[in-house]
Amino acid sequence: MKNFIILCVVILSLGACTNPPEKKFANIKGIDSSIRPGDNFFKYVNGKWYDSIQIPNTQAGVGAYMFMNYPQRIRLQSILDSVSKSNNIAGSIGQKVGDFYASGMDTITINKRGYNPIKPILDKIETINDINSLLTFVANQYKVFNTSMIFFGVSPDNKNSSMNIAHLYQTGIGLPDRDYYFKSDSSTVTIQEAYKKYLASLFELTGSNAKDAKKEANLVYSIDKQLAASHKTRVELRDVKANYNKISVRDLEKRQPNIGWSNLLDNLGAQTDSIDVGQPAYYDKLNELLKSIPIQDWKVYLKANSISNYATDLSNSFVDAAFEFTKALSGQAVQKSRGEKMANAVDNFLGEALGQLYVKKYFSEDAKKRMLELVNNVQKAYAVRIDKLEWMSDSTKQKAKEKLFAITKKIGYPDTWKDYNAVHVARTTYFENVVSASAAAYQRKLRKLGKPVDKTEWFTTPSTVTAYNNPSANEIVFPAGILQAPYFDNLADDALNYGGIGMVIGHEITHTFDDQGAQYDKNGNVKNWWTTDDYIKFKSRIQQVIDLYSTFTVLDSLHVKGAMTVGENTADIAGIAVAYDAFKMTQEGQDSAKIGGFTPDQRFFLSVAKIWRVKMKDEYLRLWINNNPHSPPIWRVNGPLMNTSPFYKAFSVEPGDNMFLPEKDRITIW
């Protein structure tokens, strides 16, 4: 992957870059011309690459999107290798990230310590003798994010988005989702058994004999399964209103007396008289199980959770056990290098400190300005599309545009960096560094409770290859990590950038108006701004998306979950459409000159397909389908383009082609 405007940066450093360089078209290699574009555009653009690329043994997939975070870790590792060898001032960013990384790279010391770092935690579990002491342990450990049966958060109130309140969410299970406990197909059973084996390994590594360890693992699995039965499905979790249940602590005490919410919240340090319980059924079940399951069994459960939470922070035997479970889930054949793991750890625990170093090296102000221009242009095109909607009334259009232009745009990195002064980092104590960073992060979260929302806060690190829409703040965020090829290149022609990052911009804006985002007003409150008739029409179009994507298959017979992925699919369909309209507003978009044998429109759609150039292992693809709210990459290309009429014209898609839909069946929402 290329760096942003390296050539110009070098020339600028010499004081000689007086004129911007000519925009270039990046040649898209790997096109398989034996495939008709209208039959499978993903394979047409990416086929030769897909058939020839090898997935590294240390990864579960390769290519763009989330898999770009893997080479990103190598970039970060290079920064950290350098910083960790420098003489840094005590307490400085360099000292904290450098010593954190060095402590994690010191596997000799980590292996010598074995599981000694968590022995005090396990000893504390042994002293538990009743529900009250059990929940005190749970709360105290949660303050360093050693999580188990409680998941507590602080974030905006859905009905008063300017204020932060306390939230509770369903949790308590070790498999990725509730459904893994209740399916009986062979691939799921394999994962169930791998999880039990993993738990047994953890018990053996901390002193249990093989027979007892297996018994303990089955006990934990049984508790997990009982908790999982109360969980909402991933589709049910999409219901914004059903997952908002604000209740007074007093009433919650009456409803779930065994949990003892007042004491639990006090132990968490959370001073509040009300709380939003996202999924009350989970805490109803927990309240019941706290009485019906013996304390001794709960102690085994807490032991499993604690060892598992810290497994990758301990000696090699624990790391290896955790990887065996990861292998069963994802198909990844070989563990990542220690350097890559530690780059990821520093990014997780000190992300904005490391982000400052990353941005300084890899992200320019010129790139930020260019990106803002793209965002503004896509936003303008979106307003035009809203005005042209035939199914929406003028009053709702006006509200939609007010919300559109109220969006906050965050690009590259935060204006104000997080303060890590409370994190204590020593070069020889990796485990303690992790705990210190976790404790500081919890206190940072806790300080927000009952306070006005900080609209400048970011919820990803600058180096992460991602983008997101935060409906409660009505904001879209594009960190520096995604602002590189194939998504964005400051030296590339408009077709590449609008088909790449332009599509992502359109996608994130559309989340403001997808099945969930459309329930929030311009200020981020869950509040109806629709006419009744318009919302009925909107929902009918959303159902069209669900129905269409539910017909798509991967791995021969595994179907895309249309209801679970509808928000992302809606954003993909509209994202491409609005990015194309924005592209047509540019000089190049209005031209017809070919570059590399392709028209401007064709280059736009080629870029759309290339940004989802991804290949995954089958195991990871199954994990994706069951848990990821996005469709797999092939359908992030072919699905939206089936509904994009300019694509038909650009590549002469005709009746009989696999991707052809009659014009009356093509979905237009925004």
Side-chain angles (χ1 to χ4, degrees):
M1 293 176 286
K2 69 190 77 170
N3 299 336
F4 300 130
I5 61 167
I6 291 177
L7 178 61
C8 189
V9 169
V10 171
I11 296 174
L12 273 172
S13 69
L14 300 175
C17 189
T18 56
N19 295 308
E22 182 179 352
K23 299 295 182 188
K24 60 179 172 54
F25 171 64
N27 184 34
I28 297 179
K29 298 178 181 179
I31 292 176
D32 188 346
S33 56
S34 68
I35 296 174
R36 279 186 57 79
D39 280 339
N40 189 331
F41 196 66
F42 177 89
K43 289 299 294 285
Y44 167 73
V45 177
N46 302 317
K48 288 184 178 179
W49 173 87
Y50 192 95
D51 293 338
S52 61
I53 194 70
Q54 297 295 314
I55 298 174
N57 286 334
T58 59
Q59 315 298 346
V62 65
Y65 187 41
M66 62 181 296
F67 295 105
M68 283 174 62
N69 279 310
Y70 298 140
Q72 280 291 86
R73 302 304 178 215
I74 306 304
R75 277 184 166 186
L76 297 180
Q77 186 182 340
S78 176
I79 292 172
L80 289 164
D81 280 335
S82 175
V83 173
S84 66
K85 295 172 184 175
S86 302
N87 292 321
N88 300 299
I89 299 172
S92 66
I93 287 174
Q95 181 266 314
K96 289 183 188 290
V97 299
D99 285 359
F100 196 109
Y101 176 76
S103 70
M105 293 297 291
D106 184 6
T107 54
I108 293 175
T109 298
I110 292 171
N111 286 330
K112 282 182 180 178
R113 299 183 75 188
Y115 75 97
N116 283 335
I118 64 168
K119 281 185 178 178
I121 299 173
L122 302 182
D123 290 343
K124 188 67 176 176
I125 291 173
E126 288 304 318
T127 68
I128 293 171
N129 54 25
D130 56 19
I131 293 175
N132 182 59
S133 58
L134 182 148
L135 290 168
T136 298
F137 171 86
V138 167
N140 288 336
Q141 287 299 306
Y142 193 87
K143 289 187 284 190
V144 291
F145 290 124
N146 178 20
T147 60
S148 53
M149 60 183 71
I150 300 292
F151 195 97
F152 168 79
V154 178
S155 60
D157 186 335
N158 269 3
K159 294 187 177 180
N160 180 14
S161 63
S162 64
M163 292 297 294
N164 285 307
I165 64 168
H167 300 265
L168 289 167
Y169 307 96
Q170 65 187 27
T171 185
I173 62 176
L175 287 173
D177 180 69
R178 68 169 314 279
D179 290 350
Y180 282 85
Y181 293 90
F182 305 107
K183 290 182 178 180
S184 58
D185 60 280
S186 60
S187 62
T188 304
V189 170
T190 297
I191 291 171
Q192 291 170 355
E193 293 306 313
Y195 176 51
K196 293 175 187 177
K197 182 179 178 181
Y198 168 55
L199 293 173
S201 296
L202 297 182
F203 286 122
E204 285 193 64
L205 289 170
T206 51
S208 295
N209 61 50
K211 182 179 179 181
D212 287 343
K214 185 175 181 180
K215 182 180 178 181
E216 290 167 329
N218 286 331
L219 173 60
V220 174
Y221 188 86
S222 173
I223 295 175
D224 272 17
K225 189 171 183 178
Q226 291 176 75
L227 291 171
S230 70
H231 276 216
K232 288 189 175 183
T233 66
R234 291 189 181 272
V235 173
E236 290 170 333
L237 290 173
R238 292 196 61 79
D239 189 331
V240 173
K241 293 178 180 177
N243 288 282
Y244 178 84
N245 303 281
K246 194 172 180 180
I247 185 172
S248 71
V249 173
R250 180 180 298 178
D251 288 343
L252 199 57
E253 286 270 20
K254 294 176 182 177
R255 176 170 175 167
Q256 298 156 356
N258 296 328
I259 296 176
W261 282 109
S262 293
N263 287 337
L264 184 65
L265 291 168
D266 282 345
N267 287 326
L268 286 169
Q271 301 301 312
T272 181
D273 57 7
S274 63
I275 192 163
D276 169 31
V277 187
Q279 298 78 38
Y282 169 78
Y283 289 96
D284 290 340
K285 173 59 72 172
L286 177 61
N287 179 70
E288 172 194 321
L289 295 179
L290 284 170
K291 276 290 189 182
S292 63
I293 294 176
I295 289 295
Q296 192 59 39
D297 291 355
W298 277 119
K299 289 162 70 171
V300 175
Y301 170 85
L302 291 177
K303 183 179 178 182
N305 276 266
S306 295
I307 306 169
S308 181
N309 285 340
Y310 288 120
T312 56
D313 304 319
L314 301 173
S315 59
N316 279 344
S317 53
F318 291 88
V319 173
D320 292 344
F323 175 70
E324 287 303 310
F325 179 44
T326 297
K327 184 191 295 186
L329 282 173
S330 69
Q332 180 183 327
V334 177
Q335 293 189 48
K336 296 176 175 62
S337 70
R338 187 69 185 182
E340 187 179 343
K341 290 178 184 178
M342 288 306 104
N344 185 59
V346 178
D347 194 33
N348 283 339
F349 290 107
L350 299 170
E352 288 193 17
L354 178 57
Q356 294 179 57
L357 304 179
Y358 176 83
V359 167
K360 184 177 180 180
K361 186 170 184 178
Y362 289 111
F363 189 64
S364 73
E365 286 302 310
D366 282 345
K368 186 171 184 175
K369 291 176 183 176
R370 172 66 173 141
M371 180 61 182
L372 180 58
E373 177 187 328
L374 281 157
V375 173
N376 289 339
N377 288 346
V378 173
Q379 188 179 38
K380 292 173 186 175
Y382 219 112
V384 173
R385 290 187 68 84
I386 290 172
D387 280 333
K388 292 180 178 178
L389 291 175
E390 296 180 356
W391 61 270
M392 184 181 284
S393 69
D394 288 342
S395 61
T396 304
K397 286 179 181 179
Q398 182 60 34
K399 294 286 187 182
K401 286 191 294 182
E402 288 175 5
K403 187 178 182 186
L404 172 69
F405 287 110
I407 291 174
T408 298
K409 309 154 194 172
K410 296 180 178 178
I411 298 171
Y413 52 88
D415 293 330
T416 303
W417 298 98
K418 280 181 182 173
D419 182 349
Y420 293 100
N421 284 335
V423 182
H424 302 287
V425 179
R427 206 169 176 86
T428 57
T429 54
Y430 178 63
F431 181 85
E432 287 76 6
N433 294 340
V434 168
V435 172
S436 178
S438 298
Y442 179 78
Q443 291 302 320
R444 191 183 303 119
K445 175 172 73 172
L446 194 62
R447 285 194 295 272
K448 297 189 292 185
L449 182 58
K451 303 288 179 58
V453 172
D454 178 5
K455 295 296 181 72
T456 69
E457 185 176 10
W458 282 49
F459 299 102
T460 188
T461 66
S463 62
T464 303
V465 181
T466 191
Y468 69 86
N469 178 300
N470 178 6
S472 65
N474 194 20
E475 66 181 6
I476 52 177
V477 185
F478 306 95
I482 199 171
L483 301 180
Q484 59 178 300
Y487 294 95
F488 173 78
D489 183 344
N490 200 34
L491 293 182
D493 67 321
D494 284 333
L496 186 144
N497 279 323
Y498 278 92
I501 199 65
M503 182 271 182
V504 176
I505 296 166
H507 174 103
E508 297 306 335
I509 292 177
T510 301
H511 277 311
T512 303
F513 304 107
D514 69 12
D515 63 307
Q516 291 181 313
Q519 298 180 60
Y520 293 80
D521 68 10
K522 67 179 182 179
N523 297 315
N525 296 311
V526 175
K527 184 178 179 181
N528 182 37
W529 48 273
W530 298 74
T531 67
T532 300
D533 188 50
D534 285 344
Y535 196 67
I536 290 172
K537 293 176 181 177
F538 170 72
K539 293 292 286 183
S540 72
R541 282 162 172 75
I542 290 293
Q543 188 61 49
Q544 287 180 310
V545 178
I546 293 173
D547 293 343
L548 175 63
Y549 277 77
S550 295
T551 68
F552 298 156
T553 59
V554 293
L555 297 178
D556 298 327
S557 61
L558 190 64
H559 279 256
V560 173
K561 296 185 177 183
M564 186 178 82
T565 59
V566 62
E568 301 297 338
N569 298 333
T570 300
D572 283 346
I573 292 171
I576 290 175
V578 71
Y580 177 80
D581 284 0
F583 171 58
K584 298 304 285 184
M585 293 163 59
T586 68
Q587 181 176 347
E588 183 185 330
Q590 297 173 27
D591 197 1
S592 59
K594 291 185 177 182
I595 301 177
F598 296 104
T599 67
D601 279 15
Q602 288 174 330
R603 298 199 305 275
F604 171 89
F605 292 114
L606 291 172
S607 181
V608 167
K610 189 180 179 184
I611 65 173
W612 306 120
R613 179 174 279 189
V614 171
K615 183 177 181 179
M616 305 179 213
K617 292 196 172 183
D618 287 354
E619 296 91 337
Y620 193 82
L621 185 52
R622 287 185 186 278
L623 182 69
W624 181 295
I625 288 291
N626 287 324
N627 299 283
N628 200 306
H630 302 82
S631 290
I634 187 171
W635 293 115
R636 298 201 70 176
V637 177
N638 293 353
L641 292 183
M642 291 169 69
N643 296 282
T644 306
S645 293
F647 164 71
Y648 284 65
K649 182 178 180 180
F651 285 96
S652 302
V653 181
E654 302 171 348
D657 290 344
N658 293 336
M659 290 177 60
F660 181 86
L661 284 177
E663 192 165 358
K664 66 180 179 61
D665 295 332
R666 295 172 203 166
I667 302 168
T668 299
I669 301 180
W670 294 100

